[in-house]
């Protein structure tokens, strides 16, 4: 076990070897702890959160995120469990976009569309890490430089993501990026949550709140049509908390296209441009997850494509809807949709995004 000088006896951050890449590079695992007893494991491969313990209403800590015990399982392929996503989270239609009159071609790794940064997105690269203890918790700074032309994107992009676990059971995630050429950026975090702590159970018994009056309907390739559609009177209305499973099987063209929920909600504007976007609650255990952000959208994905083929950390396999994602982000396919908030980043500017995941009980 290695500790940092900053700890001085406090065991709020710990570093171990998690495994080795095929080329021999070492993948490290950092365990972030806080004074309350919460623990979060992060590996330098993909910036992946592999484990996250949270107390239930009786004070019992259990892992609440889907993941694996060893590196090879991540290398063998998985649905982005716990990973940092970039350069562009979500889909870009036909793997093409134009910037200043030039067309850029990206990998089509999701049917005919580009998904989550391509064949080797930020979820599959090795990040440099620097951890330290902070007041009642721990912080981990991850950095990566994406070369000009990597995965087809223009500009050398210097990225920094900071995970900070506070004494209040909050994980604060800060994203920053700078570029030397005009480019596009849309970073997010792709943890799959199951607040029951029992990964053999589906998440359909969780209650969900989304602070959104509208969502983005999609076409057959799950690309937004460009419409901002009101949620009122549809299964997409989570303005009042309701069970995730309440209307997931309703007759609805959009649910059929996504095989459940796999859509981006248009978050209502926040005072100060940062506030509560979503909340998920598991009544049986009392665990409550709140998501705060300054992003304009949030992708709620109900784990529809999990199919029981991947081994679960606690035994068994991850079945359909064993986890849900709440990915804070700009809208999918923004580079090809004039009406969406811009994802352009110019030299001299700093991309800055913040999302906080807060765990509590009620």
């Amino acid at each position: 076990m290695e500790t940092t000088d900053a700890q001085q006896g406090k065991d709020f951050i710990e570093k171990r070897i998690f495994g080795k890449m095929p080329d021999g590079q070492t993948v490290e695992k950092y365990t972030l702890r806080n004074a309350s007893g919460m623990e979060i494991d992060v590996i330098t491969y993909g910036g992946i959160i592999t484990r996250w313990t949270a107390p239930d209403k009786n004070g019992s800590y259990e892992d609440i995120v889907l993941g694996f015990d060893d590196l090879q399982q991540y290398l063998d392929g998985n649905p982005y469990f716990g990973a940092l996503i970039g350069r562009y989270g979500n889909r870009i239609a036909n793997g093409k976009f134009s910037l200043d009159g030039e067309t850029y071609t990206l990998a089509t790794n999701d049917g005919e569309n580009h998904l989550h940064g391509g064949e080797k997105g930020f979820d599959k690269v090795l990040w440099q890490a620097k951890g330290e203890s902070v007041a009642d918790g721990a912080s981990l700074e991850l950095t990566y430089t994406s070369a000009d032309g990597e995965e087809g994107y223009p500009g050398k992009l210097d990225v920094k993501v900071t995970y900070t676990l506070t004494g209040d059971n909050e994980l604060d995630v800060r994203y920053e990026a700078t570029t030397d050429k005009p480019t596009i950026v849309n970073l997010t975090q792709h943890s799959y949550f199951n607040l029951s702590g029992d990964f053999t159970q589906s998440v359909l018994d969780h209650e969900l709140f989304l602070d959104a009056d509208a969502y983005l309907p999609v076409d057959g390739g799950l690309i937004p049509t460009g419409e901002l559609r009101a949620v009122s009177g549809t299964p997409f209305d989570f303005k009042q908390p309701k069970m995730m499973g309440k209307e997931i099987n309703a007759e609805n063209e959009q649910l059929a296209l996504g095989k459940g929920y796999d859509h981006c909600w248009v978050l209502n504007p926040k005072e100060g441009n940062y506030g509560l976007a979503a909340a998920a609650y598991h009544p049986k255990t009392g665990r409550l997850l709140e998501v705060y952000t300054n992003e304009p959208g949030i992708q709620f994905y109900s784990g529809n494509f999990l199919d029981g083929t991947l081994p679960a950390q606690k035994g068994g396999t991850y079945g359909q809807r064993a986890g849900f994602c709440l990915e804070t982000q700009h809208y999918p396919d923004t580079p090809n949709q004039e009406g969406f908030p811009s994802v352009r980043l110019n030299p001299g500017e700093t991309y800055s995004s913040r999302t906080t995941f807060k765990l509590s009980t009620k």
Side-chain angles (χ1 to χ4, degrees):
M1 182 192 304
E2 297 179 35
T3 58
T4 64
D5 294 338
Q7 284 179 260
Q8 300 185 343
K10 292 181 183 174
D11 198 22
F12 287 153
I13 191 148
E14 177 184 334
K15 181 173 76 171
R16 289 194 176 99
I17 291 174
F18 188 68
K20 288 195 181 294
M21 298 290 287
D23 64 3
Q25 289 189 86
T26 298
V27 176
E28 298 166 338
K29 179 177 78 173
Y30 286 81
T31 299
L32 284 63
R33 298 185 175 93
N34 68 7
S36 305
M38 180 172 282
E39 294 186 357
I40 300 177
D41 289 346
V42 181
I43 59 173
T44 51
Y45 176 74
I48 292 170
I49 294 172
T50 64
R51 184 181 68 106
W52 186 340
T53 69
D56 66 10
K57 59 190 175 186
N58 299 316
S60 176
Y61 281 80
E62 287 179 292
D63 187 9
I64 57 162
V65 293
L66 279 55
F68 298 125
D69 292 323
D70 70 84
L71 178 61
Q72 191 59 47
Q73 290 173 303
Y74 287 105
L75 296 176
D76 287 344
N78 70 94
Y80 306 95
F81 283 158
L84 291 176
I85 304 296
R87 286 188 190 190
Y88 199 93
N90 221 309
R91 295 169 176 87
I92 294 177
N94 303 309
K96 292 185 187 299
F97 71 95
S98 296
L99 208 58
D100 298 334
E102 188 166 345
T103 298
Y104 295 91
T105 301
L106 312 171
T108 49
N109 59 325
D110 184 56
E112 54 191 33
N113 301 314
H114 178 79
L115 178 66
H116 290 337
E119 299 290 350
K120 189 181 178 183
F122 291 175
D123 62 297
K124 296 180 184 71
V125 303
L126 267 189
W127 294 71
Q128 297 297 310
K130 187 170 66 176
E132 64 174 350
S133 286
V134 297
D136 294 329
S139 187
L140 185 67
E141 181 183 288
L142 297 167
T143 53
Y144 176 70
T145 296
S146 176
D148 180 19
E150 183 175 290
E151 287 295 323
Y153 291 92
K156 177 171 79 80
L157 193 74
D158 290 306
V159 188
K160 179 170 76 173
V161 180
T162 307
Y163 290 128
T164 302
L165 176 61
T166 74
D168 296 326
N169 285 351
E170 293 179 346
L171 181 68
D172 191 51
V173 187
R174 308 261 183 154
Y175 308 85
E176 288 182 20
T178 56
T179 184
D180 63 356
K181 285 183 189 174
T183 191
I184 60 170
V185 188
N186 186 30
L187 307 181
T188 191
Q189 218 294 329
H190 209 300
S191 283
Y192 286 68
F193 293 94
N194 185 327
L195 300 179
S196 76
D198 181 355
F199 301 149
T200 67
Q201 300 298 308
S202 90
V203 294
L204 298 186
D205 63 345
H206 289 51
E207 291 178 5
L208 180 66
F209 160 76
L210 295 173
D211 186 26
D213 294 334
Y215 77 104
L216 303 177
V218 295
D219 64 16
L222 301 183
I223 297 292
T225 62
E227 176 191 356
L228 275 62
R229 185 176 294 176
V231 299
S232 293
T234 79
F236 292 82
D237 189 349
F238 288 93
K239 289 182 293 182
Q240 296 296 322
K242 72 179 180 193
M243 293 287 184
M244 291 180 183
K246 183 176 181 183
E247 296 176 283
I248 200 167
N249 295 316
E251 278 199 31
N252 177 281
E253 180 198 18
Q254 286 298 309
L255 288 175
L257 288 170
K259 295 182 170 50
Y261 296 107
D262 191 6
H263 296 73
C264 186
W265 272 253
V266 179
L267 293 171
N268 295 330
K270 307 281 182 273
E271 190 175 339
N273 197 33
Y274 174 82
L276 181 67
Y281 173 61
H282 186 247
K284 187 177 175 184
T285 60
R287 288 189 183 98
L288 174 67
L289 169 68
E290 295 171 299
V291 183
Y292 298 79
T293 192
N294 62 357
E295 286 291 321
I298 191 165
Q299 186 90 2
F300 166 45
Y301 172 53
S302 51
N304 314 310
F305 295 100
L306 297 173
D307 59 5
T309 58
L310 296 173
Q313 264 177 326
K314 303 175 187 179
T317 61
Y318 293 123
Q320 188 185 38
R321 298 174 179 148
F324 66 90
C325 303
L326 292 170
E327 306 155 58
T328 57
Q329 58 188 243
H330 272 57
Y331 308 157
D333 199 36
T334 285
N336 298 312
Q337 309 248 6
E338 286 184 11
F340 289 178
S342 175
V343 291
R344 179 180 176 127
L345 181 68
N346 295 309
E349 299 173 345
T350 299
Y351 168 93
S352 180
S353 177
R354 179 187 181 196
T355 294
T356 305
F357 300 94
K358 180 178 175 64
L359 271 303
S360 60
T361 58
K362 69 173 187 175

